[in-house]
Amino acid sequence: MALDIESRARFNLKSATILLVETPGVNMDILSQILMGFGAKAMHRCDSAVDARTTIGRTEMDLMVISPFLADECGYELVQWIRREAPDPNKFAPIIMVSPHTEQSKVARARDCGAHFLVAKPLTPAVILERIIWVARSQRPFVSCDTYVGPERRFKFEGPPATGGRRRDDLPETVGEAVEPNMSQDQIDALMAPRKVAI
Amino acid sequence: MSEVHYYRPKMKLAKMLREPGGKTVAEAVRDANAGLESISADCMDEVDAFIGRIEATFAALPADFDAEALHGLYKAANGLIGLPGIVGLSELETAAYSLADLTDRMIAAGRFEREAARVHVQALRLLRRPDALGVAGLGEVLAGLAQVRDKFRAMDVQAASD
């Protein structure tokens, strides 16, 4: 759901420590101006992956914004390193990637390296803010296996696959008549809600 | 088969966002836009610098396919993406994206079409001053670029199916 930019809802980024990894110059300024506008105070700006690794090693981050195009290393590899080797709790920090070219394979690469989101440039404050709030609220679980470490990638619920069933003995989609009467709300509450017992 | 672990690490950010004080969404977006406005002159200079860099990179490309050289052009085009949009040059933004997409496809296909790239590079200079082109002119330039890119894509698909 798109963020209502006229919303009076409040949020506070003042105490968050944020890492910005972007090419030096105006691209870095754009990111900084947007986050300063949101009220962020503690920002660490790194223009290379080497610099970012050092900073991540000594400072606890609450949010990281990373570009895939860095002078010394690909940003996707940096994210992969963060997810696998960065110290706790930085390896679990929310990561938003900001990318100029967002062709499908690049989007898939961002997802598979362990980023929470990929935002396409040109950046707009509304989109960045929407993603920050979304990442913070969604609290996606983390997955770790041989080939991937990062937030759960399947975060959309789209129902069961429309394959028409995979086995011969799959039950039909149509549901039969109820064989017992529905439970009343009181009966449901009695099962679900904890009650004090008076002795 | 590898073992898969699921866990729910605590994310401090969610709690921080709810702390008292802060800004409303409307205030934050307004302040961020004001911040971007304050660097628009720098943005414009950077746009010009990147157009120059793209032209120089293109001029230095060898006649035959060279993945590394093309990657230089792809990287320069990516450097431009994101800047014109900040200063209201949305057509230039579209053209920069189109150039990045085209060069990316050329690298993937292992084929260099100099004319297709040249048309894009020249269009950047034209779209830098949109007022001189007028609305109809802007539309024509963008339609031309889309046509060039689609033609390369179609040739690429054809080559892959042969």
mmCIF file of all heavy atoms in Angstrom, chain A residues 5 7 9-12 15 26 33 37 60 62 69 92 100-102 106 125 136 139 142-144 146 152, chain B residues 2 5-8 12 14 16-17 19-26 31 33 35 43 74 78 97 101 104:
data_model
loop_
_atom_site.group_PDB
_atom_site.id
_atom_site.type_symbol
_atom_site.label_atom_id
_atom_site.label_comp_id
_atom_site.label_asym_id
_atom_site.label_seq_id
_atom_site.Cartn_x
_atom_site.Cartn_y
_atom_site.Cartn_z
ATOM 1 N N ILE A 5 1.513 10.746 1.587
ATOM 2 C CA ILE A 5 2.539 11.736 1.940
ATOM 3 C C ILE A 5 1.980 12.931 2.712
ATOM 4 O O ILE A 5 2.730 13.773 3.182
ATOM 5 C CB ILE A 5 3.349 12.222 0.712
ATOM 6 C CG1 ILE A 5 2.427 12.835 -0.343
ATOM 7 C CG2 ILE A 5 4.174 11.120 0.119
ATOM 8 C CD1 ILE A 5 3.197 13.640 -1.376
ATOM 9 N N SER A 7 0.137 12.296 5.319
ATOM 10 C CA SER A 7 -0.251 11.663 6.581
ATOM 11 C C SER A 7 0.309 12.413 7.798
ATOM 12 O O SER A 7 1.424 12.918 7.782
ATOM 13 C CB SER A 7 0.253 10.220 6.585
ATOM 14 O OG SER A 7 0.098 9.667 7.861
ATOM 15 N N ALA A 9 0.637 10.777 10.568
ATOM 16 C CA ALA A 9 1.227 9.706 11.401
ATOM 17 C C ALA A 9 2.683 10.053 11.685
ATOM 18 O O ALA A 9 3.383 10.567 10.827
ATOM 19 C CB ALA A 9 1.142 8.381 10.656
ATOM 20 N N ARG A 10 3.128 9.789 12.913
ATOM 21 C CA ARG A 10 4.485 10.172 13.311
ATOM 22 C C ARG A 10 5.415 8.964 13.313
ATOM 23 O O ARG A 10 4.997 7.823 13.544
ATOM 24 C CB ARG A 10 4.478 10.788 14.714
ATOM 25 C CG ARG A 10 3.669 12.037 14.834
ATOM 26 C CD ARG A 10 3.974 12.751 16.139
ATOM 27 N NE ARG A 10 5.118 13.624 16.023
ATOM 28 C CZ ARG A 10 5.044 14.873 15.564
ATOM 29 N NH1 ARG A 10 3.904 15.388 15.178
ATOM 30 N NH2 ARG A 10 6.126 15.623 15.480
ATOM 31 N N PHE A 11 6.672 9.237 13.089
ATOM 32 C CA PHE A 11 7.708 8.219 13.236
ATOM 33 C C PHE A 11 8.970 8.947 13.708
ATOM 34 O O PHE A 11 9.081 10.169 13.566
ATOM 35 C CB PHE A 11 7.969 7.477 11.911
ATOM 36 C CG PHE A 11 8.625 8.327 10.878
ATOM 37 C CD1 PHE A 11 10.002 8.323 10.727
ATOM 38 C CD2 PHE A 11 7.873 9.161 10.074
ATOM 39 C CE1 PHE A 11 10.621 9.137 9.794
ATOM 40 C CE2 PHE A 11 8.484 9.985 9.141
ATOM 41 C CZ PHE A 11 9.848 9.972 8.998
ATOM 42 N N ASN A 12 9.905 8.195 14.258
ATOM 43 C CA ASN A 12 11.093 8.834 14.827
ATOM 44 C C ASN A 12 12.367 8.086 14.409
ATOM 45 O O ASN A 12 12.555 6.928 14.774
ATOM 46 C CB ASN A 12 10.968 8.839 16.356
ATOM 47 C CG ASN A 12 11.931 9.822 16.985
ATOM 48 O OD1 ASN A 12 12.901 10.243 16.361
ATOM 49 N ND2 ASN A 12 11.672 10.195 18.232
ATOM 50 N N SER A 15 17.099 8.468 16.835
ATOM 51 C CA SER A 15 18.114 7.689 17.549
ATOM 52 C C SER A 15 18.665 6.524 16.722
ATOM 53 O O SER A 15 19.451 5.722 17.236
ATOM 54 C CB SER A 15 17.547 7.188 18.875
ATOM 55 O OG SER A 15 16.345 6.518 18.652
ATOM 56 N N VAL A 26 27.401 13.577 -5.528
ATOM 57 C CA VAL A 26 25.985 13.934 -5.440
ATOM 58 C C VAL A 26 25.098 12.749 -5.061
ATOM 59 O O VAL A 26 24.124 12.905 -4.323
ATOM 60 C CB VAL A 26 25.524 14.573 -6.769
ATOM 61 C CG1 VAL A 26 24.033 14.813 -6.760
ATOM 62 C CG2 VAL A 26 26.237 15.895 -6.981
ATOM 63 N N GLN A 33 20.585 13.795 2.183
ATOM 64 C CA GLN A 33 19.545 14.826 2.314
ATOM 65 C C GLN A 33 18.187 14.210 2.619
ATOM 66 O O GLN A 33 17.421 14.730 3.426
ATOM 67 C CB GLN A 33 19.452 15.666 1.024
ATOM 68 C CG GLN A 33 20.631 16.590 0.796
ATOM 69 C CD GLN A 33 20.766 17.654 1.879
ATOM 70 O OE1 GLN A 33 19.800 18.015 2.540
ATOM 71 N NE2 GLN A 33 21.976 18.140 2.080
ATOM 72 N N GLY A 37 16.312 14.758 6.139
ATOM 73 C CA GLY A 37 14.948 15.291 6.104
ATOM 74 C C GLY A 37 14.004 14.461 6.959
ATOM 75 O O GLY A 37 13.050 14.978 7.544
ATOM 76 N N GLU A 60 27.326 -0.484 15.686
ATOM 77 C CA GLU A 60 26.050 -1.184 15.540
ATOM 78 C C GLU A 60 25.112 -0.346 14.680
ATOM 79 O O GLU A 60 24.890 0.836 14.977
ATOM 80 C CB GLU A 60 25.441 -1.396 16.926
ATOM 81 C CG GLU A 60 24.338 -2.417 16.920
ATOM 82 C CD GLU A 60 23.807 -2.662 18.335
ATOM 83 O OE1 GLU A 60 24.631 -2.878 19.250
ATOM 84 O OE2 GLU A 60 22.585 -2.609 18.500
ATOM 85 N N ASP A 62 21.377 0.342 12.690
ATOM 86 C CA ASP A 62 19.946 0.038 12.752
ATOM 87 C C ASP A 62 19.330 -0.042 11.356
ATOM 88 O O ASP A 62 18.233 -0.573 11.189
ATOM 89 C CB ASP A 62 19.224 1.119 13.559
ATOM 90 C CG ASP A 62 19.785 1.211 14.959
ATOM 91 O OD1 ASP A 62 19.802 0.164 15.640
ATOM 92 O OD2 ASP A 62 20.240 2.298 15.367
ATOM 93 N N PHE A 69 26.612 -0.282 -7.040
ATOM 94 C CA PHE A 69 27.762 0.195 -7.817
ATOM 95 C C PHE A 69 28.748 0.933 -6.919
ATOM 96 O O PHE A 69 28.550 2.107 -6.604
ATOM 97 C CB PHE A 69 27.306 1.111 -8.948
ATOM 98 C CG PHE A 69 26.538 0.378 -10.008
ATOM 99 C CD1 PHE A 69 25.161 0.318 -9.965
ATOM 100 C CD2 PHE A 69 27.203 -0.280 -11.025
ATOM 101 C CE1 PHE A 69 24.441 -0.385 -10.929
ATOM 102 C CE2 PHE A 69 26.507 -0.975 -11.991
ATOM 103 C CZ PHE A 69 25.118 -1.034 -11.941
ATOM 104 N N PHE A 92 21.952 -8.895 10.892
ATOM 105 C CA PHE A 92 20.487 -8.956 10.768
ATOM 106 C C PHE A 92 19.860 -7.585 10.464
ATOM 107 O O PHE A 92 18.643 -7.445 10.426
ATOM 108 C CB PHE A 92 19.866 -9.492 12.057
ATOM 109 C CG PHE A 92 20.441 -10.818 12.472
ATOM 110 C CD1 PHE A 92 21.131 -10.960 13.660
ATOM 111 C CD2 PHE A 92 20.283 -11.938 11.664
ATOM 112 C CE1 PHE A 92 21.660 -12.181 14.046
ATOM 113 C CE2 PHE A 92 20.817 -13.155 12.032
ATOM 114 C CZ PHE A 92 21.510 -13.282 13.227
ATOM 115 N N PRO A 100 20.398 1.996 -9.799
ATOM 116 C CA PRO A 100 19.976 2.709 -11.006
ATOM 117 C C PRO A 100 19.284 1.771 -12.008
ATOM 118 O O PRO A 100 18.115 1.942 -12.314
ATOM 119 C CB PRO A 100 21.284 3.262 -11.563
ATOM 120 C CG PRO A 100 22.394 2.738 -10.731
ATOM 121 C CD PRO A 100 21.837 1.889 -9.652
ATOM 122 N N HIS A 101 19.986 0.754 -12.463
ATOM 123 C CA HIS A 101 19.419 -0.154 -13.459
ATOM 124 C C HIS A 101 18.755 -1.319 -12.747
ATOM 125 O O HIS A 101 19.417 -2.074 -12.040
ATOM 126 C CB HIS A 101 20.537 -0.668 -14.388
ATOM 127 C CG HIS A 101 20.046 -1.501 -15.518
ATOM 128 N ND1 HIS A 101 20.723 -2.582 -15.991
ATOM 129 C CD2 HIS A 101 18.931 -1.406 -16.289
ATOM 130 C CE1 HIS A 101 20.057 -3.120 -17.001
ATOM 131 N NE2 HIS A 101 18.959 -2.417 -17.195
ATOM 132 N N THR A 102 17.446 -1.436 -12.931
ATOM 133 C CA THR A 102 16.716 -2.448 -12.155
ATOM 134 C C THR A 102 16.093 -3.498 -13.071
ATOM 135 O O THR A 102 14.924 -3.832 -12.938
ATOM 136 C CB THR A 102 15.613 -1.791 -11.304
ATOM 137 O OG1 THR A 102 14.904 -0.876 -12.146
ATOM 138 C CG2 THR A 102 16.182 -1.055 -10.123
ATOM 139 N N LYS A 106 18.855 -8.082 -12.029
ATOM 140 C CA LYS A 106 19.463 -7.288 -10.950
ATOM 141 C C LYS A 106 18.568 -7.325 -9.708
ATOM 142 O O LYS A 106 19.060 -7.378 -8.574
ATOM 143 C CB LYS A 106 19.663 -5.837 -11.378
ATOM 144 C CG LYS A 106 20.989 -5.517 -12.014
ATOM 145 C CD LYS A 106 21.158 -6.073 -13.361
ATOM 146 C CE LYS A 106 22.487 -5.773 -14.009
ATOM 147 N NZ LYS A 106 22.601 -6.485 -15.310
ATOM 148 N N PRO A 125 11.713 10.819 -1.677
ATOM 149 C CA PRO A 125 11.566 10.658 -0.230
ATOM 150 C C PRO A 125 10.406 9.748 0.153
ATOM 151 O O PRO A 125 10.544 8.904 1.045
ATOM 152 C CB PRO A 125 11.332 12.095 0.240
ATOM 153 C CG PRO A 125 12.038 12.945 -0.766
ATOM 154 C CD PRO A 125 11.848 12.235 -2.075
ATOM 155 N N ALA A 136 10.689 -2.145 8.732
ATOM 156 C CA ALA A 136 10.669 -2.182 10.199
ATOM 157 C C ALA A 136 9.436 -2.910 10.723
ATOM 158 O O ALA A 136 9.512 -3.655 11.685
ATOM 159 C CB ALA A 136 10.713 -0.765 10.747
ATOM 160 N N GLN A 139 9.075 -7.231 9.963
ATOM 161 C CA GLN A 139 9.812 -8.182 10.813
ATOM 162 C C GLN A 139 9.911 -9.557 10.169
ATOM 163 O O GLN A 139 9.547 -10.570 10.761
ATOM 164 C CB GLN A 139 9.117 -8.320 12.179
ATOM 165 C CG GLN A 139 8.951 -7.028 12.930
ATOM 166 C CD GLN A 139 10.137 -6.713 13.839
ATOM 167 O OE1 GLN A 139 10.986 -7.544 14.071
ATOM 168 N NE2 GLN A 139 10.199 -5.499 14.323
ATOM 169 N N PHE A 142 14.471 -14.538 9.459
ATOM 170 C CA PHE A 142 15.701 -14.785 8.713
ATOM 171 C C PHE A 142 15.845 -16.266 8.397
ATOM 172 O O PHE A 142 15.436 -17.120 9.174
ATOM 173 C CB PHE A 142 16.912 -14.289 9.503
ATOM 174 C CG PHE A 142 17.342 -12.916 9.094
ATOM 175 C CD1 PHE A 142 16.519 -11.822 9.332
ATOM 176 C CD2 PHE A 142 18.551 -12.695 8.456
ATOM 177 C CE1 PHE A 142 16.893 -10.545 8.944
ATOM 178 C CE2 PHE A 142 18.937 -11.430 8.074
ATOM 179 C CZ PHE A 142 18.113 -10.351 8.316
ATOM 180 N N VAL A 143 16.439 -16.520 7.260
ATOM 181 C CA VAL A 143 16.676 -17.892 6.816
ATOM 182 C C VAL A 143 18.181 -18.067 6.635
ATOM 183 O O VAL A 143 18.852 -17.160 6.139
ATOM 184 C CB VAL A 143 16.000 -18.145 5.449
ATOM 185 C CG1 VAL A 143 16.235 -19.566 4.978
ATOM 186 C CG2 VAL A 143 14.521 -17.844 5.514
ATOM 187 N N SER A 144 18.667 -19.199 7.051
ATOM 188 C CA SER A 144 20.090 -19.480 6.846
ATOM 189 C C SER A 144 20.244 -20.895 6.308
ATOM 190 O O SER A 144 19.747 -21.859 6.902
ATOM 191 C CB SER A 144 20.825 -19.326 8.182
ATOM 192 O OG SER A 144 22.117 -19.835 8.063
ATOM 193 N N ASP A 146 22.941 -23.262 3.181
ATOM 194 C CA ASP A 146 24.231 -23.214 2.470
ATOM 195 C C ASP A 146 24.280 -22.123 1.415
ATOM 196 O O ASP A 146 25.291 -21.472 1.209
ATOM 197 C CB ASP A 146 24.501 -24.563 1.780
ATOM 198 C CG ASP A 146 24.925 -25.603 2.799
ATOM 199 O OD1 ASP A 146 25.141 -25.220 3.960
ATOM 200 O OD2 ASP A 146 25.021 -26.784 2.430
ATOM 201 N N GLU A 152 13.588 -13.835 4.932
ATOM 202 C CA GLU A 152 12.715 -14.761 4.192
ATOM 203 C C GLU A 152 12.292 -14.104 2.881
ATOM 204 O O GLU A 152 11.796 -12.976 2.875
ATOM 205 C CB GLU A 152 11.498 -15.065 5.070
ATOM 206 C CG GLU A 152 10.326 -15.725 4.401
ATOM 207 C CD GLU A 152 10.562 -17.192 4.076
ATOM 208 O OE1 GLU A 152 11.077 -17.441 2.972
ATOM 209 O OE2 GLU A 152 10.222 -18.039 4.901
ATOM 210 N N SER B 2 21.068 -29.367 2.241
ATOM 211 C CA SER B 2 21.559 -28.498 3.312
ATOM 212 C C SER B 2 20.485 -28.242 4.362
ATOM 213 O O SER B 2 19.296 -28.260 4.064
ATOM 214 C CB SER B 2 22.042 -27.178 2.729
ATOM 215 O OG SER B 2 20.950 -26.400 2.328
ATOM 216 N N HIS B 5 17.819 -23.076 8.593
ATOM 217 C CA HIS B 5 17.449 -22.563 9.908
ATOM 218 C C HIS B 5 16.622 -21.303 9.744
ATOM 219 O O HIS B 5 16.945 -20.457 8.917
ATOM 220 C CB HIS B 5 18.702 -22.218 10.723
ATOM 221 C CG HIS B 5 19.584 -23.391 10.974
ATOM 222 N ND1 HIS B 5 19.328 -24.298 11.961
ATOM 223 C CD2 HIS B 5 20.701 -23.817 10.343
ATOM 224 C CE1 HIS B 5 20.266 -25.228 11.938
ATOM 225 N NE2 HIS B 5 21.106 -24.966 10.952
ATOM 226 N N TYR B 6 15.576 -21.202 10.542
ATOM 227 C CA TYR B 6 14.756 -19.986 10.565
ATOM 228 C C TYR B 6 14.902 -19.346 11.937
ATOM 229 O O TYR B 6 14.900 -20.050 12.939
ATOM 230 C CB TYR B 6 13.268 -20.318 10.366
ATOM 231 C CG TYR B 6 12.921 -20.695 8.958
ATOM 232 C CD1 TYR B 6 13.078 -21.998 8.512
ATOM 233 C CD2 TYR B 6 12.417 -19.751 8.069
ATOM 234 C CE1 TYR B 6 12.760 -22.356 7.211
ATOM 235 C CE2 TYR B 6 12.100 -20.089 6.766
ATOM 236 C CZ TYR B 6 12.272 -21.399 6.349
ATOM 237 O OH TYR B 6 11.958 -21.740 5.056
ATOM 238 N N TYR B 7 15.033 -18.038 11.988
ATOM 239 C CA TYR B 7 15.047 -17.365 13.289
ATOM 240 C C TYR B 7 14.499 -15.958 13.143
ATOM 241 O O TYR B 7 14.424 -15.409 12.042
ATOM 242 C CB TYR B 7 16.447 -17.346 13.904
ATOM 243 C CG TYR B 7 17.579 -17.244 12.930
ATOM 244 C CD1 TYR B 7 18.099 -16.009 12.573
ATOM 245 C CD2 TYR B 7 18.124 -18.388 12.357
ATOM 246 C CE1 TYR B 7 19.139 -15.914 11.663
ATOM 247 C CE2 TYR B 7 19.165 -18.287 11.443
ATOM 248 C CZ TYR B 7 19.663 -17.059 11.099
ATOM 249 O OH TYR B 7 20.668 -16.966 10.185
ATOM 250 N N ARG B 8 14.104 -15.405 14.282
ATOM 251 C CA ARG B 8 13.529 -14.051 14.280
ATOM 252 C C ARG B 8 14.400 -13.124 15.122
ATOM 253 O O ARG B 8 14.156 -12.960 16.312
ATOM 254 C CB ARG B 8 12.108 -14.085 14.861
ATOM 255 C CG ARG B 8 11.096 -14.602 13.884
ATOM 256 C CD ARG B 8 9.680 -14.364 14.394
ATOM 257 N NE ARG B 8 8.733 -14.858 13.412
ATOM 258 C CZ ARG B 8 8.296 -14.140 12.395
ATOM 259 N NH1 ARG B 8 8.705 -12.901 12.236
ATOM 260 N NH2 ARG B 8 7.441 -14.661 11.532
ATOM 261 N N LYS B 12 15.757 -3.492 16.174
ATOM 262 C CA LYS B 12 15.562 -2.306 17.014
ATOM 263 C C LYS B 12 14.843 -1.181 16.286
ATOM 264 O O LYS B 12 14.194 -0.333 16.900
ATOM 265 C CB LYS B 12 16.933 -1.791 17.501
ATOM 266 C CG LYS B 12 17.391 -2.468 18.770
ATOM 267 C CD LYS B 12 18.835 -2.183 19.081
ATOM 268 C CE LYS B 12 19.192 -0.715 19.092
ATOM 269 N NZ LYS B 12 20.654 -0.487 19.206
ATOM 270 N N ALA B 14 12.203 -0.993 14.488
ATOM 271 C CA ALA B 14 10.753 -0.903 14.653
ATOM 272 C C ALA B 14 10.407 -0.157 15.940
ATOM 273 O O ALA B 14 9.507 0.697 15.967
ATOM 274 C CB ALA B 14 10.147 -2.302 14.664
ATOM 275 N N MET B 16 12.410 1.938 17.595
ATOM 276 C CA MET B 16 12.872 3.330 17.490
ATOM 277 C C MET B 16 11.856 4.207 16.760
ATOM 278 O O MET B 16 11.602 5.344 17.152
ATOM 279 C CB MET B 16 14.187 3.383 16.704
ATOM 280 C CG MET B 16 15.361 2.922 17.488
ATOM 281 S SD MET B 16 16.774 2.822 16.401
ATOM 282 C CE MET B 16 18.015 2.430 17.607
ATOM 283 N N LEU B 17 11.301 3.661 15.690
ATOM 284 C CA LEU B 17 10.345 4.453 14.904
ATOM 285 C C LEU B 17 9.135 4.874 15.738
ATOM 286 O O LEU B 17 8.523 5.903 15.475
ATOM 287 C CB LEU B 17 9.863 3.657 13.682
ATOM 288 C CG LEU B 17 10.861 3.421 12.550
ATOM 289 C CD1 LEU B 17 10.252 2.545 11.473
ATOM 290 C CD2 LEU B 17 11.330 4.725 11.939
ATOM 291 N N GLU B 19 9.233 5.638 18.932
ATOM 292 C CA GLU B 19 9.583 6.501 20.065
ATOM 293 C C GLU B 19 8.886 7.849 19.938
ATOM 294 O O GLU B 19 8.647 8.323 18.825
ATOM 295 C CB GLU B 19 11.118 6.708 20.107
ATOM 296 C CG GLU B 19 11.856 5.517 20.687
ATOM 297 C CD GLU B 19 13.370 5.651 20.559
ATOM 298 O OE1 GLU B 19 13.854 6.704 20.115
ATOM 299 O OE2 GLU B 19 14.061 4.670 20.885
ATOM 300 N N PRO B 20 8.562 8.479 21.088
ATOM 301 C CA PRO B 20 7.875 9.772 21.034
ATOM 302 C C PRO B 20 8.717 10.837 20.330
ATOM 303 O O PRO B 20 9.941 10.731 20.273
ATOM 304 C CB PRO B 20 7.669 10.145 22.504
ATOM 305 C CG PRO B 20 8.122 9.006 23.318
ATOM 306 C CD PRO B 20 8.830 8.025 22.451
ATOM 307 N N GLY B 21 8.058 11.834 19.818
ATOM 308 C CA GLY B 21 8.759 12.901 19.091
ATOM 309 C C GLY B 21 8.784 12.594 17.615
ATOM 310 O O GLY B 21 7.836 12.035 17.074
ATOM 311 N N GLY B 22 9.867 12.908 16.967
ATOM 312 C CA GLY B 22 10.001 12.613 15.544
ATOM 313 C C GLY B 22 9.216 13.567 14.671
ATOM 314 O O GLY B 22 8.948 14.709 15.057
ATOM 315 N N LYS B 23 8.844 13.091 13.503
ATOM 316 C CA LYS B 23 8.157 13.941 12.534
ATOM 317 C C LYS B 23 6.929 13.226 11.999
ATOM 318 O O LYS B 23 6.869 11.984 12.026
ATOM 319 C CB LYS B 23 9.078 14.220 11.343
ATOM 320 C CG LYS B 23 10.316 15.016 11.666
ATOM 321 C CD LYS B 23 11.088 15.335 10.401
ATOM 322 C CE LYS B 23 12.284 16.226 10.741
ATOM 323 N NZ LYS B 23 12.898 16.832 9.589
ATOM 324 N N THR B 24 6.017 14.007 11.453
ATOM 325 C CA THR B 24 4.915 13.365 10.738
ATOM 326 C C THR B 24 5.446 13.002 9.354
ATOM 327 O O THR B 24 6.460 13.547 8.898
ATOM 328 C CB THR B 24 3.705 14.306 10.575
ATOM 329 O OG1 THR B 24 4.095 15.396 9.735
ATOM 330 C CG2 THR B 24 3.199 14.820 11.902
ATOM 331 N N VAL B 25 4.757 12.099 8.686
ATOM 332 C CA VAL B 25 5.161 11.703 7.335
ATOM 333 C C VAL B 25 5.215 12.943 6.443
ATOM 334 O O VAL B 25 6.168 13.144 5.680
ATOM 335 C CB VAL B 25 4.178 10.649 6.768
ATOM 336 C CG1 VAL B 25 4.409 10.422 5.282
ATOM 337 C CG2 VAL B 25 4.309 9.337 7.537
ATOM 338 N N ALA B 26 4.195 13.799 6.566
ATOM 339 C CA ALA B 26 4.126 14.996 5.714
ATOM 340 C C ALA B 26 5.332 15.914 5.955
ATOM 341 O O ALA B 26 5.947 16.407 5.006
ATOM 342 C CB ALA B 26 2.821 15.744 5.984
ATOM 343 N N ASP B 31 10.562 18.056 4.329
ATOM 344 C CA ASP B 31 11.944 18.409 4.692
ATOM 345 C C ASP B 31 12.961 17.714 3.775
ATOM 346 O O ASP B 31 13.981 18.295 3.406
ATOM 347 C CB ASP B 31 12.231 18.032 6.155
ATOM 348 C CG ASP B 31 11.435 18.911 7.112
ATOM 349 O OD1 ASP B 31 10.819 19.896 6.643
ATOM 350 O OD2 ASP B 31 11.409 18.595 8.319
ATOM 351 N N ASN B 33 12.424 16.789 0.669
ATOM 352 C CA ASN B 33 12.366 17.456 -0.641
ATOM 353 C C ASN B 33 13.111 18.791 -0.609
ATOM 354 O O ASN B 33 13.767 19.168 -1.585
ATOM 355 C CB ASN B 33 10.911 17.654 -1.083
ATOM 356 C CG ASN B 33 10.345 16.386 -1.716
ATOM 357 O OD1 ASN B 33 11.052 15.675 -2.436
ATOM 358 N ND2 ASN B 33 9.094 16.083 -1.446
ATOM 359 N N GLY B 35 15.664 19.415 1.248
ATOM 360 C CA GLY B 35 17.080 19.040 1.233
ATOM 361 C C GLY B 35 17.559 18.757 -0.188
ATOM 362 O O GLY B 35 18.647 19.171 -0.589
ATOM 363 N N CYS B 43 23.547 18.805 -8.463
ATOM 364 C CA CYS B 43 22.983 17.697 -9.249
ATOM 365 C C CYS B 43 23.116 17.985 -10.746
ATOM 366 O O CYS B 43 23.484 17.109 -11.525
ATOM 367 C CB CYS B 43 21.504 17.557 -8.929
ATOM 368 S SG CYS B 43 21.125 16.148 -7.943
ATOM 369 N N TYR B 74 28.295 0.996 -19.559
ATOM 370 C CA TYR B 74 27.156 0.612 -18.710
ATOM 371 C C TYR B 74 27.260 1.300 -17.347
ATOM 372 O O TYR B 74 26.284 1.858 -16.831
ATOM 373 C CB TYR B 74 27.157 -0.912 -18.548
ATOM 374 C CG TYR B 74 26.121 -1.443 -17.576
ATOM 375 C CD1 TYR B 74 24.765 -1.391 -17.896
ATOM 376 C CD2 TYR B 74 26.493 -1.985 -16.352
ATOM 377 C CE1 TYR B 74 23.807 -1.871 -17.014
ATOM 378 C CE2 TYR B 74 25.548 -2.471 -15.469
ATOM 379 C CZ TYR B 74 24.205 -2.414 -15.801
ATOM 380 O OH TYR B 74 23.256 -2.881 -14.915
ATOM 381 N N ASN B 78 24.820 4.099 -15.685
ATOM 382 C CA ASN B 78 24.234 3.891 -14.361
ATOM 383 C C ASN B 78 24.530 5.052 -13.424
ATOM 384 O O ASN B 78 23.719 5.373 -12.554
ATOM 385 C CB ASN B 78 24.753 2.595 -13.751
ATOM 386 C CG ASN B 78 23.850 1.434 -14.083
ATOM 387 O OD1 ASN B 78 22.707 1.394 -13.657
ATOM 388 N ND2 ASN B 78 24.334 0.510 -14.878
ATOM 389 N N TYR B 97 18.424 5.446 -18.611
ATOM 390 C CA TYR B 97 18.022 4.071 -18.276
ATOM 391 C C TYR B 97 18.056 3.190 -19.529
ATOM 392 O O TYR B 97 18.507 2.046 -19.501
ATOM 393 C CB TYR B 97 16.622 4.053 -17.646
ATOM 394 C CG TYR B 97 16.291 2.715 -17.049
ATOM 395 C CD1 TYR B 97 16.582 2.437 -15.726
ATOM 396 C CD2 TYR B 97 15.738 1.701 -17.832
ATOM 397 C CE1 TYR B 97 16.319 1.190 -15.185
ATOM 398 C CE2 TYR B 97 15.472 0.458 -17.309
ATOM 399 C CZ TYR B 97 15.765 0.208 -15.981
ATOM 400 O OH TYR B 97 15.511 -1.032 -15.450
ATOM 401 N N ASP B 101 20.235 -0.136 -20.129
ATOM 402 C CA ASP B 101 19.568 -1.382 -20.495
ATOM 403 C C ASP B 101 20.153 -1.952 -21.791
ATOM 404 O O ASP B 101 20.419 -3.156 -21.893
ATOM 405 C CB ASP B 101 18.066 -1.103 -20.656
ATOM 406 C CG ASP B 101 17.249 -2.359 -20.501
ATOM 407 O OD1 ASP B 101 17.535 -3.136 -19.573
ATOM 408 O OD2 ASP B 101 16.346 -2.582 -21.326
ATOM 409 N N ASP B 104 23.686 -3.272 -21.242
ATOM 410 C CA ASP B 104 23.601 -4.511 -20.452
ATOM 411 C C ASP B 104 23.233 -5.683 -21.361
ATOM 412 O O ASP B 104 23.797 -6.768 -21.268
ATOM 413 C CB ASP B 104 22.556 -4.322 -19.347
ATOM 414 C CG ASP B 104 22.539 -5.491 -18.370
ATOM 415 O OD1 ASP B 104 23.625 -5.954 -17.994
ATOM 416 O OD2 ASP B 104 21.436 -5.942 -17.991
#
